Amino acid sequence: MITFDDVTVRFGGFEALPSFSLRIEAGEFFTLLGPSGCGKTTALRVLAGFVEPAAGDVLVDGRTVTHVPSGKREIGMVFQNYALFPSMSVRDNIAFGLRVRKHSQSEVDRRVAEIAEQVDLSGAQLAKGVAELSGGQQQRVAIARALIMRPKVLLLDEPLSNLDAKLRQQLRGQLKDLQTRFGITTVYVTHDQEEALSMSDRIAVLDHGRIEQVGSPEEIYQRSATEFVCTFIGQVNKLSVELVKELAARGADRLDPGKASYLRIEKVGLDRSGAGVRLPGTVTARAFHGAHTMYRVRTEHDVLQVMRSDDRLDAGDRVDVVIDPESVLQYPGAA
Ligand SMILES: Nc1ncnc2c1ncn2[C@@H]1O[C@H](COP(=O)(O)OP(=O)(O)OP(=O)(O)O)[C@@H](O)[C@H]1O
């Protein structure tokens, strides 16, 4: 549906995207995830037609659009700051694109009413000025304004990052529901790994303009392909050479102590019944987070961060740390 074929983008002498290739399927909720400056917005802007690549092509529905002007690409965009017209009413903001294209008044009225209902904006809200709406409502206006043009593709550039944490969480679900309901191919840009994991069908993790891994949220998280992906997604313990040697000596002979080794914080067992290699440890710190508790546990070789759903332990408690060698992720590189 969307293809980036060897796309290279340069700003002066700097290559923001070197030979970027990616395929996004029709109807997918696809996320470009990576740290600040990794090139995700640049990739989105190439797709939208705001940045022209130095080499390579972009295809939408099998048609090359590399040199097609932005306005003719049938692509809707929602930005971080919504880019709404502050002096216009909600209704006029949503109707803007149709009016520019000279649709009849009755057609505009019909489509505004239809889209407002789909994104849950009431008649009273349509009559308000955009500044009178909350951040979350303004975001729905921005989405309605994009969707009313019936684009083939919806691009969302960090659309939740201006909102407070609680609302952001709520809107993740709403946005995903909307996308499912419309079935529209969506490309989402974020640096927030939790957002990416909870909303996406597939994710591309980017670093320095290069794709490190493309996969489902589960693949990216459970089978991180590179050390960068492993440490960028979720929280991990880097294991010492001594600890990996001990695991290897105690039966985990697939583990290579010469490699960089990681264990996700929720994979460290503190439960006698767990399967794996047991190591004596002492809890040195505890932080209660409500739904889970974080512990620091000292073992002979390492201090491990541990996330547990129960909070029965305290600093000073002796515990059995249980490590299932199958959960250890290893990568070439410095151990
Ligand atoms: N118009 C431009 N001129 C020069 N350099 C640019 C331009 N746009 C982006 N860059 C550079 O290209 C790189 C990628 O930028 P981009 O905005 O795509 O990153 P990003 O991953 O979206 O980051 P953020 O999350 O901070 O927005 C950065 O190093 C940035 O400084």
Side-chain angles (χ1 to χ4, degrees):
M1 160 81 201
I2 297 169
T3 308
F4 289 87
D5 187 9
D6 252 340
V7 168
T8 296
V9 175
R10 291 194 192 96
F11 296 114
F14 172 69
E15 270 195 357
L17 290 180
S19 297
F20 185 87
S21 291
L22 180 66
R23 212 185 128 78
I24 297 169
E25 305 300 333
E28 263 192 311
F29 192 114
F30 193 96
T31 298
L32 302 173
L33 172 68
S36 181
C38 71
K40 36 193 203 302
T41 297
T42 301
L44 206 67
R45 290 172 65 82
V46 167
L47 180 53
F50 301 145
V51 170
E52 196 159 335
D57 274 313
V58 179
L59 290 84
V60 176
D61 266 354
R63 185 172 77 106
T64 304
V65 298
T66 322
H67 305 292
V68 173
S70 180
K72 297 220 156 84
R73 289 195 187 188
E74 297 179 76
I75 282 175
M77 263 200 101
V78 176
F79 302 91
Q80 179 175 345
N81 57 5
Y82 317 131
L84 297 170
F85 304 111
S87 58
M88 286 187 194
S89 69
V90 170
R91 177 186 300 283
D92 289 343
N93 264 279
I94 296 175
F96 186 80
L98 293 179
R99 293 219 170 100
V100 168
R101 294 215 168 139
K102 307 262 184 277
H103 286 262
S104 70
Q105 188 60 44
S106 60
E107 167 85 355
V108 172
D109 289 345
R110 191 178 60 73
R111 278 171 63 173
V112 169
E114 182 184 286
I115 202 80
E117 191 188 330
Q118 282 164 325
V119 302
D120 255 342
L121 287 166
S122 67
Q125 286 168 332
L126 285 177
K128 288 187 173 175
V130 284
E132 293 173 74
L133 299 188
S134 70
Q137 290 163 341
Q138 287 188 26
Q139 196 227 22
R140 291 213 292 276
V141 176
I143 291 171
R145 188 178 62 171
L147 289 179
I148 201 169
M149 303 309 291
R150 298 179 180 158
K152 286 187 177 150
V153 179
L154 181 64
L155 308 185
L156 301 162
D157 192 353
E158 308 245 10
L160 305 181
S161 52
N162 277 357
L163 305 168
D164 69 54
K166 180 118 187 153
L167 188 58
R168 206 156 65 215
Q169 206 137 22
Q170 250 176 28
L171 287 180
R172 278 182 198 163
Q174 287 184 12
L175 201 54
K176 175 72 186 163
D177 285 352
L178 266 180
Q179 190 269 342
T180 311
R181 204 172 331 141
F182 282 85
I184 187 168
T185 311
T186 299
V187 187
Y188 193 89
V189 160
T190 184
H191 62 268
D192 182 326
Q193 30 132 339
E194 229 181 86
E195 210 165 280
L197 290 174
S198 63
M199 295 172 80
S200 317
D201 294 316
R202 285 193 308 150
I203 300 169
V205 183
L206 269 64
D207 184 33
H208 291 100
R210 293 176 199 281
I211 296 177
E212 292 272 320
Q213 185 172 6
V214 179
S216 68
E218 292 78 6
E219 281 165 348
I220 299 269
Y221 188 83
Q222 308 284 11
R223 293 188 292 285
S224 306
T226 66
E227 189 174 1
F228 175 83
V229 176
C230 170
T231 53
F232 184 70
I233 306 271
Q235 284 176 271
V236 285
N237 292 289
K238 185 163 188 187
L239 305 183
S240 68
V241 177
E242 291 71 27
L243 176 53
V244 181
K245 274 187 184 159
E246 183 162 351
L247 296 176
R250 289 170 63 180
D253 43 10
R254 75 165 192 96
L255 294 182
D256 176 353
K259 288 186 173 171
S261 305
Y262 295 91
L263 185 60
R264 297 207 176 278
I265 59 171
E266 75 283 8
K267 298 278 187 190
V268 186
L270 295 179
D271 197 336
R272 282 167 189 280
S273 60
V277 176
R278 269 161 224 285
L279 307 162
T282 307
V283 176
T284 59
R286 162 190 187 274
F288 180 64
H289 288 253
H292 68 270
T293 303
M294 298 284 290
Y295 298 104
R296 283 167 72 79
V297 181
R298 194 176 57 237
T299 63
E300 185 186 359
H301 304 298
D302 292 40
V303 175
L304 299 169
Q305 294 254 46
V306 185
M307 188 177 96
R308 297 278 96 196
S309 55
D310 58 73
D311 66 337
R312 66 192 162 81
L313 296 170
D314 237 321
D317 284 355
R318 292 182 182 282
V319 287
D320 269 346
V321 173
V322 185
I323 297 179
D324 178 357
E326 291 304 312
S327 303
V328 176
L329 300 164
Q330 289 205 305
Y331 303 94

